[in-house]
Each structure stands twice: as C-alpha cells, then as structure tokens.
Amino acid sequence: MAKVLLINGSPHIKGCTATALDEMIKVFENEGIETELINIGNKAIRGCIACGTCENKGKCVFDDEVNEAASLFEKADGLVIGSPVYYGSPNGTLLSFLDRLFYSTPFPKHMKVGAAVVSCRRGGNTASFDVLNKYFTITSMPVASSTYWNQVHGFTADDVKKDLEGLQTMRNLARNMSFMIKTISDGAEKYGAPENEHSFFTSFHDGK
C-alpha cells in the first residue's frame, strides 16, 4: 500500500495547520493511501552545523526526531510538509528539521511526491509556501498542486474550519497527490524510473 508521511511544523498539534492536514488525511484514507503524521513544531530541534558527519554515518550527528523521521521518509511514497507562517516564513523549528532531514539522509527522494501546506492569519503565506517547495525541487521530488495555493487562513482551528475554500484546496491537493503517487508507481513498473544524473557538481575549484 502506498504511504504518505505528513509533518506538522506547528507547535499546536490541534491548531490551524493540523486542521488543514486532517482534511487531507481523510481524502488519503478514501483513496487507499496509508498515512502517518508526526508533530515536530514543539520539539527542541537544532539546526545543521555543517559538520559532515552524515556523509560517513548516513544519518545526522544529532540523534533526535530527525533521525527518527528519516526511516519513515525513506519508506514513504509522498511527503506533506505543513507549517504556520511566522514573520512571512515557515516555523524556524521546522526549517531546522527539514535542513537536517534532507541533507543527512543518503536515500534517494527521486519521484517521491511532495506537497507544502501553510496556514496563516492574513499574510506571508505564499512566501512560506515558496520556501517549503524548494526542499522538493532540489531533490527530484514531483510537486503536487491544487486549485489554489496550498494554504488555509485563520487565527484558530475553528477559524480554519470556516475557510471553506482553503479546506477544499486541501481535499483537491490530497486527491491530486494520491493520483500522482499511483500514476508514478504504475509508470515506474511499466517504463522504469527516469534517469537521475549526479556526475557534475560545479564549484569552480580551479578558480576559472
């Protein structure tokens, strides 16, 4: 069975972001997609220190929620990242988590489907949305879209439940993501996965 890992970057496990993700989970279940939700927004997660230990160990030197999530991510066919908006950007704890999760894990993310979800009271949503999508596009993860930018509005979970267009966007996003996961699986079986080159790493060490 296909599986989607959902990461809630909000410190409020039943808040606005969780309400949006819950709307997606209902659709995934109807589509026959297994889900697992983890909450990391209230954890003490430090940022990457560029020590390079993960290159040899295959995991982050800080053995915390990042390494726990890595095995779930490896087995998942899709990843949903949800975050509240803080000063026009995703939650800092979530960004530290994602930097380390994506950088320290040696397994390929190629063709795992990604989707970003943001919640805000008013502004900063599209800026945060852009930040989260960059994790997918640098690792060959196809990005799922919806009928609007993947966002909900509200100051409380009850507010989000009144955002009917936002919840509709979440449902359409989950349907599109489910279809992509199933289609990619069928296509890989029929045609094989696309080639993913890694021969060049341009740093201009010769100074030219």
Side-chain angles (χ1 to χ4, degrees):
M1 178 182 292
K3 183 173 184 177
V4 169
L5 174 65
L6 300 98
I7 299 172
N8 182 4
S10 171
H12 306 291
I13 62 174
K14 294 184 179 180
C16 298
T17 306
T19 303
L21 297 178
D22 285 344
E23 197 73 8
M24 295 185 69
I25 289 172
K26 296 173 188 175
V27 174
F28 285 135
E29 291 176 350
N30 289 335
E31 293 285 341
I33 304 288
E34 183 182 350
T35 62
E36 183 156 0
L37 172 68
I38 59 175
N39 297 284
I40 58 92
N42 57 0
K43 307 297 183 182
I45 298 173
R46 64 170 303 153
C48 177
I49 61 171
C51 65
T53 302
C54 58
E55 294 182 13
N56 297 319
K57 289 191 172 183
K59 64 179 183 178
C60 186
V61 67
F62 301 115
D63 196 15
D64 58 9
E65 288 82 3
V66 171
N67 288 338
E68 293 176 11
S71 60
L72 301 177
F73 185 18
E74 183 175 13
K75 297 173 185 175
D77 302 285
L79 177 69
V80 179
I81 302 171
S83 179
V85 174
Y86 293 165
Y87 289 94
S89 185
N91 179 2
T93 299
L94 175 64
L95 293 179
S96 294
F97 175 89
L98 293 174
D99 283 352
R100 290 171 50 210
L101 177 67
F102 274 78
Y103 190 77
S104 67
T105 47
F107 59 82
K109 289 81 176 172
H110 191 210
M111 292 296 111
K112 293 179 184 287
V113 180
V117 169
V118 296
S119 67
C120 67
R121 186 183 69 86
R122 289 180 67 85
N125 41 27
T126 55
S128 300
F129 183 56
D130 291 342
V131 171
L132 296 178
N133 278 321
K134 289 181 172 64
Y135 290 96
F136 308 134
T137 56
I138 198 173
T139 51
S140 295
M141 293 179 63
V143 180
S145 59
S146 187
T147 43
Y148 197 74
W149 292 297
N150 306 338
Q151 59 189 254
V152 294
H153 289 263
F155 190 63
T156 66
D158 286 336
D159 289 340
V160 172
K161 292 174 184 177
K162 300 173 187 176
D163 181 10
L164 299 184
E165 184 177 2
L167 295 178
Q168 174 181 266
T169 299
M170 295 301 109
R171 293 192 297 271
N172 287 332
L173 174 61
R175 293 187 190 103
N176 290 347
M177 192 171 181
S178 298
F179 179 82
M180 291 175 67
I181 289 172
K182 295 172 185 177
T183 303
I184 288 172
S185 176
D186 290 345
E189 184 176 339
K190 184 174 182 179
Y191 302 109
E195 181 183 0
N196 202 6
E197 295 186 32
H198 292 281
S199 299
F200 298 102
F201 185 77
T202 305
S203 295
F204 301 106
H205 294 300
D206 58 2
K208 297 179 181 179

